[in-house]
Amino acid sequence: MALPVPVVAVFSIKIISTQTWGTIAEIAKPKTVALDFSSKGTYLLAWEHYSVTATNSQGQPNLSVYETKTGDLVHTVTHKKQTNWQWQWSQDETLCARLINNDVVFYSVPNFDKATARISGQKIDTYSLAPEGSPMNLIIYVQGKSGQPSLAKLYQHPKFDTTLASKSFFQADNVEFYWKRKGTGVLLLACTDVDKTNSSYYGKQSLHFMSPKGETLVVVLSKEGPIFSVAWSPLGSEFCVVYGTVPAKATLFNLKCEPIFEFGTGQRNSIYFNPFGNIMLMGGFGALRGHSELWDMNARKLIAKIEAPDTTSLAWSPDGEHFMTATTAPRLKMGNGFKIWHYSGTLLYERPWNAQEELWEVLWQRFPAGTFKPPVINYKPVEGIQPSQPTYSKQVYRPPMARGRDPPSALSITQQNEEAAGEVTGNLSKQALKQKKKREAKKAAKLQQQQNNGGETTAASQPQTSPASNGGSGGGASRVLAFIDDITTDDPEKMKKIKKLRSKLQEIARLKDQKAQGKQLEINQVEKINKEDSLLKELRELNL
């Protein structure tokens, strides 16, 4: 399968064919600052800043509509502010809508001169058309003022005399809409600019679900803090939310707004599903350093982790197997360029930008639905390239005089220094001498035990099975913790593995205590407990 080619957008109005890469039309409109295509790409909209002159106090129309096949101008209107300047289109482009003086006005394409329908008299602040569905659903938002609540309403075009569902908000300065692909449900992220309780720098936020069936539900989140990102799976049966103070929590919800899977916490603030919904990328961008996780959404399993620092734009390829990260201006003017990745975490291609130029946008070429099939997930990384820019080292800093030597063992640097000084002077400190004698006694006892049993560890040295190992609590958990705390070795590599296993088993013991106290554990927490036996077995093997 050929890898789709990303389309690099340079800031001048040139309409280019992605079949021949030849220029279809070039439009002399140098003041243009924003572009937008209709849903099928038949029309191109160009917006420039509105201005007046001494000879023309009314100003010129600043929003132009062009036909992409020819570059011909088909319509012009005035839209003074850059907010809400884009038109919204039905999937088949038979219908489009725009906001005029707080009314939503509809047109039958290609007749842009005469409106066919209008929602008026409600002082609409913003609106949104469903991405799919026939007849088409839409939602409007009316900003509350003077102690009155804000209001969101669901309609079906063109039956605007009937409200399908409505929701009021007493704490909402603005809202963001997140539609299911088929338009049969929408999430509303209601936000206030200032939190009057001063408990959050980000203001107050809440998440709600509405459906054309009249359902209105609140999405209950289990951690305090801002809502960073909300995304529907393209499959339409679940959605994911990243929320809470950093390290942020990520939770997957079903259509009843019930949590069905927890992804834990991490340095993340963004969610990106691939077009087929079987892979999800969670990343931390902007103020975070670009740490990203790729998840198999069918198996609920982590595929890979990558680092993509300074990413300002990320988008999945239409094939669902590759994704692009880019560093673009004006957000970042240094280090502009883009990279192509495989979902297994492998970097396949990178294109640094000329230092004398600025890269503003990178987009994937569009393909008709059905061109690609969902990728079969393989956890083995494919062959790739090394990044040209050096990555930040994750190793602990070691001074030049200590480099090239074996890393320190489980002893602390202080103990090692004390012992080294004591061996030279013959005068160990009391604490260092105590630790040294304790280790020597353990080694002698272990050696004696192996000699008495022909080199085999007796059953008495193994941790005893108890109700704690099966999800209970009490003395069994204490004996297991005592066993893992006693295990030590002079082998640095083994000691690293032991420490990791010890940390996991201590976490399991904590979860068991919570379960014994009556707390309802989440699905992935129960799965952790079920892995205790295999972790203990691995620890015993390291102990041998």
Side-chain angles (χ1 to χ4, degrees):
M1 180 186 299
L3 181 66
V5 180
V7 179
V8 182
V10 182
F11 227 36
S12 62
I13 301 185
K14 286 186 179 181
I15 302 176
I16 298 172
S17 168
T18 56
Q19 302 296 323
T20 64
W21 299 107
T23 300
I24 297 174
E26 185 170 354
I27 303 169
K29 209 160 181 66
K31 294 183 179 180
T32 299
V33 295
L35 299 172
D36 192 39
F37 281 101
S38 59
S39 55
K40 294 176 68 175
T42 306
Y43 299 96
L44 174 67
L45 280 72
W47 184 90
E48 61 184 42
H49 290 292
Y50 177 77
S51 62
V52 297
T53 63
T55 58
N56 185 2
S57 60
Q58 298 299 318
Q60 294 290 335
N62 62 323
L63 177 56
S64 304
V65 183
Y66 299 93
E67 190 176 44
T68 55
K69 287 184 178 180
T70 61
D72 292 339
L73 179 66
V74 295
H75 194 65
T76 59
V77 294
T78 298
H79 191 100
K80 296 181 179 180
K81 295 182 179 180
Q82 193 168 0
T83 55
N84 293 321
W85 74 268
Q86 296 99 328
W87 294 6
Q88 297 189 34
W89 307 74
S90 62
Q91 187 185 25
D92 59 5
E93 285 189 355
T94 59
L95 188 73
C96 72
R98 57 185 288 245
L99 196 63
I100 306 176
N101 298 326
N102 299 113
D103 292 349
V104 181
V105 180
F106 297 84
Y107 301 91
S108 294
V109 181
N111 185 6
F112 302 115
D113 296 320
K114 184 178 180 180
T116 57
R118 180 187 292 260
I119 305 177
S120 59
Q122 301 195 51
K123 296 184 178 180
I124 298 168
D125 183 70
T126 187
Y127 73 104
S128 179
L129 305 186
E132 295 183 19
S134 182
M136 183 184 62
N137 296 320
L138 67 142
I139 189 169
I140 66 167
Y141 170 69
V142 179
Q143 177 72 52
K145 294 179 181 179
S146 303
Q148 296 296 317
S150 300
L151 186 65
K153 292 183 179 181
L154 266 178
Y155 292 105
Q156 188 178 88
H157 179 273
K159 302 175 182 178
F160 301 132
D161 55 343
T162 302
T163 303
L164 301 179
S166 64
K167 180 70 178 179
S168 60
F169 307 91
F170 277 98
Q171 290 185 333
D173 294 323
N174 53 77
V175 297
E176 297 175 15
F177 304 115
Y178 301 88
W179 283 98
K180 288 178 61 178
R181 175 178 284 183
K182 299 296 182 181
T184 55
V186 61
L187 290 165
L188 288 81
L189 177 59
C191 313
T192 58
D193 296 329
V194 178
D195 181 8
K196 295 181 180 180
T197 64
N198 292 323
S199 61
S200 174
Y201 170 80
Y202 298 93
K204 200 77 174 177
Q205 296 167 304
S206 59
L207 190 62
H208 307 266
F209 172 74
M210 296 176 66
S211 81
K213 296 179 180 179
E215 298 172 303
T216 57
L217 301 170
V218 178
V219 181
V220 180
L221 304 176
S222 59
K223 187 177 183 180
E224 292 292 330
I227 299 174
F228 292 107
S229 186
V230 179
W232 279 98
S233 165
L235 301 176
S237 58
E238 55 196 25
F239 62 92
C240 187
V241 185
V242 171
Y243 60 96
T245 53
V246 178
K249 193 171 184 180
T251 304
L252 194 68
F253 294 87
N254 61 17
L255 293 179
K256 296 181 180 179
C257 299
E258 300 168 337
I260 55 176
F261 187 77
E262 297 287 353
F263 296 93
T265 59
Q267 301 293 316
R268 53 173 78 114
N269 55 19
S270 304
I271 306 168
Y272 301 90
F273 281 95
N274 78 341
F276 302 100
N278 62 339
I279 304 174
M280 182 183 72
L281 185 149
M282 285 191 294
F285 307 113
L288 303 178
R289 287 301 304 163
H291 173 75
S292 303
E293 304 170 0
L294 291 128
W295 285 81
D296 179 344
M297 294 306 294
N298 294 324
R300 306 282 196 255
K301 185 176 178 182
L302 182 67
I303 302 172
K305 294 182 179 181
I306 66 167
E307 298 287 340
D310 299 331
T311 295
T312 60
S313 175
L314 188 150
W316 280 96
S317 163
D319 68 358
E321 189 172 346
H322 306 86
F323 62 95
M324 170 272 298
T325 60
T327 302
T328 57
R331 177 71 180 275
L332 288 175
K333 295 190 176 183
M334 300 296 292
N336 283 187
F338 66 89
K339 298 177 180 179
I340 306 297
W341 304 77
H342 187 258
Y343 71 80
S344 61
T346 301
L347 178 63
L348 300 178
Y349 175 79
E350 66 174 348
R351 168 71 158 80
W353 218 245
N354 190 325
Q356 283 72 42
E357 297 178 344
E358 293 179 353
L359 176 66
W360 282 66
E361 189 174 13
V362 186
L363 300 173
W364 287 100
Q365 179 182 343
R366 293 183 181 179
F367 285 83
T371 302
F372 301 99
K373 295 181 179 180
V376 177
I377 298 175
N378 188 335
Y379 290 82
K380 184 178 179 181
V382 299
E383 185 177 353
I385 63 172
Q386 292 296 320
S388 60
Q389 296 297 322
T391 57
Y392 290 94
S393 174
K394 297 181 182 179
Q395 297 181 352
V396 176
Y397 173 78
R398 302 185 69 195
M401 63 181 295
R403 295 172 189 172
R405 303 179 184 178
D406 291 334
S409 65
L411 290 173
S412 70
I413 300 299
T414 303
Q415 289 175 329
Q416 289 182 343
N417 290 343
E418 287 180 354
E419 291 184 8
E423 289 172 357
V424 173
T425 62
N427 184 24
L428 286 171
S429 68
K430 289 183 179 180
Q431 183 64 24
L433 184 61
K434 183 178 179 181
Q435 293 293 334
K436 185 177 180 181
K437 287 181 178 180
K438 186 177 180 181
R439 289 195 306 277
E440 290 175 350
K442 278 187 177 181
K443 286 182 182 179
K446 186 176 180 180
L447 181 61
Q448 182 63 39
Q449 187 181 31
Q450 290 177 343
Q451 290 174 351
N452 293 339
N453 295 279
E456 295 182 2
T457 305
T458 63
S461 66
Q462 304 293 340
Q464 299 297 314
T465 303
S466 68
S469 65
N470 293 318
S473 62
S478 300
R479 285 194 293 273
V480 170
L481 290 175
F483 164 69
I484 65 176
D485 286 339
D486 287 340
I487 294 177
T488 186
T489 178
D490 290 331
D491 186 336
E493 293 302 320
K494 278 191 175 182
M495 198 62 207
K496 286 181 183 178
K497 295 179 181 179
I498 289 171
K499 285 183 177 180
K500 288 182 180 179
L501 292 170
R502 184 182 293 165
S503 176
K504 291 180 180 179
L505 288 165
Q506 288 171 344
E507 172 67 12
I508 289 173
R510 186 182 67 80
L511 292 173
K512 285 182 176 180
D513 289 340
Q514 292 179 357
K515 184 178 180 181
Q517 294 168 9
K519 181 178 178 180
Q520 183 67 34
L521 298 183
E522 295 164 352
I523 298 172
N524 50 329
Q525 292 176 326
V526 175
E527 291 176 353
K528 283 184 180 180
I529 293 177
N530 294 336
K531 294 178 180 179
E532 183 183 36
D533 290 340
S534 63
L535 294 175
L536 284 171
K537 181 180 178 182
E538 188 176 349
L539 195 59
R540 293 188 196 107
E541 292 173 353
L542 288 171
N543 191 35
L544 290 175

